[in-house]
Amino acid sequence: MELRQLYYFVKVARKEHVTQAAEELHVAQSAVSRQIHQLEEELGVKLFVQKGRNLQLTPAGALFLKRAEVILSDLERAVIEVHEFLDPEKGEIRLGFPHSLGNRLIPQVVAAFRKLHPNVKFRFKQGMYPSLIRDLVKGEIDLAFISPFPKEHEQVCGEVMLTEELYAILPPGHPLSDEEEIELVQLKDETFVIFSEGYSLRPIVWEACLEAGFEPKIGFEGEETDTIRGLVAAGMGVSLLPELALYQSGQLQPTKVRISKPAVTRTIGLVHRSNEKLPLVAKLFHGFLLRYFKRD
């Protein structure tokens, strides 16, 4: 059995399509098919079955995928550890974070860290809360910024880095846009632009509205802070966004107003696998972040 066969198998399993897997691997489709066939012959079992235009893992294939992913992840970490042993300053940090931190926070902390450690590389993954936790547990990333911070989790642990206030954002010219602060109940008759299911900001906004005594009327749902902010600025409704998501230039921008009641906040934590030591370069970055946010 060759490592190349494992790489090809995992890629096909994730894409559920030989052609798409071959394109990402930059090899011929026939080469991928041949390696998968040889792997099945060596194992003595079918790993895939055809389902329409896609491939679907057999029960044996699903079992093998779990082990193959672990093997490849362990191999990747081993290579990183060897490189770090030779020179930690030339290692790679695999960092995950939600979309709402991509505009300002992540560029700021990475730029500050690279001033001290210019040769360290970064590999980033954006995602929603469940996918970031999954990628962390599977070993595809070493550290992740998470919101809200998971207080109890068997497989990950970490620290709260900051607690961030959420603001009401209103269309320009809205009757409340000139107020210094408002109570959330004052928006009970408004149409809300809110994040789609699965995004951590959605339940925070929803629960805050319920605490204020009303259920928000949802007019539009989005998956990016830019989309939410843009729709509000265009007069399509109101919303709540954290301050870090409001740093944007451009002519069409919503108005932000502080919410006095109830207080609406979110926690942002930094987490890692609880059953493993961090790679040296990730540990270096972790210590830097603890000092960075303590300073603020």
Side-chain angles (χ1 to χ4, degrees), residues 173-237:
H174 187 280
L176 298 174
S177 61
D178 291 330
E179 299 291 329
E180 290 188 8
E181 60 182 30
I182 62 172
E183 294 188 9
L184 187 55
V185 70
Q186 291 177 260
L187 301 179
K188 65 182 179 66
D189 295 324
E190 301 283 350
T191 297
F192 274 73
V193 181
I194 198 169
F195 279 91
S196 303
E197 293 283 355
Y199 286 82
S200 60
L201 283 170
R202 182 187 177 100
I204 294 175
V205 174
W206 191 272
E207 290 166 13
C209 291
L210 293 181
E211 186 179 347
F214 69 96
E215 186 172 302
K217 295 183 295 184
I218 300 175
F220 302 90
E221 298 184 5
E223 298 181 354
E224 298 279 354
T225 53
D226 287 349
T227 302
I228 303 293
R229 191 175 55 245
L231 288 174
V232 172
M236 307 303 287

Side-chain angles (χ1 to χ4, degrees), residues 55-112:
L55 292 177
Q56 185 177 47
L57 286 167
T58 64
L63 179 65
F64 189 67
L65 175 63
K66 292 181 181 179
R67 297 300 183 185
E69 287 179 326
V70 171
I71 291 169
L72 294 179
S73 179
D74 285 346
L75 176 62
E76 184 177 13
R77 286 203 296 272
V79 172
I80 290 172
E81 287 173 3
V82 169
H83 290 164
E84 289 176 354
F85 178 78
L86 296 173
D87 187 353
E89 291 290 333
K90 293 184 179 179
E92 180 181 71
I93 296 167
R94 302 181 301 170
L95 178 67
F97 57 91
H99 293 277
S100 60
L101 301 185
N103 284 341
R104 187 164 181 258
L105 181 68
I106 299 302
Q108 280 186 341
V109 297
V110 169

Side-chain angles (χ1 to χ4, degrees), residues 21-84:
E23 288 175 353
E24 286 202 8
L25 291 164
H26 303 292
V27 297
Q29 179 180 336
S30 58
V32 175
S33 298
R34 183 168 58 253
Q35 292 297 328
I36 296 297
H37 179 68
Q38 290 176 359
L39 182 60
E40 289 178 327
E41 283 193 336
E42 186 169 347
L43 292 171
V45 65
K46 292 289 291 182
L47 298 172
F48 296 99
V49 293
Q50 195 76 36
K51 188 176 182 181
R53 295 183 177 181
N54 291 358
L55 292 177
Q56 185 177 47
L57 286 167
T58 64
L63 179 65
F64 189 67
L65 175 63
K66 292 181 181 179
R67 297 300 183 185
E69 287 179 326
V70 171
I71 291 169
L72 294 179
S73 179
D74 285 346
L75 176 62
E76 184 177 13
R77 286 203 296 272
V79 172
I80 290 172
E81 287 173 3
V82 169
H83 290 164
E84 289 176 354

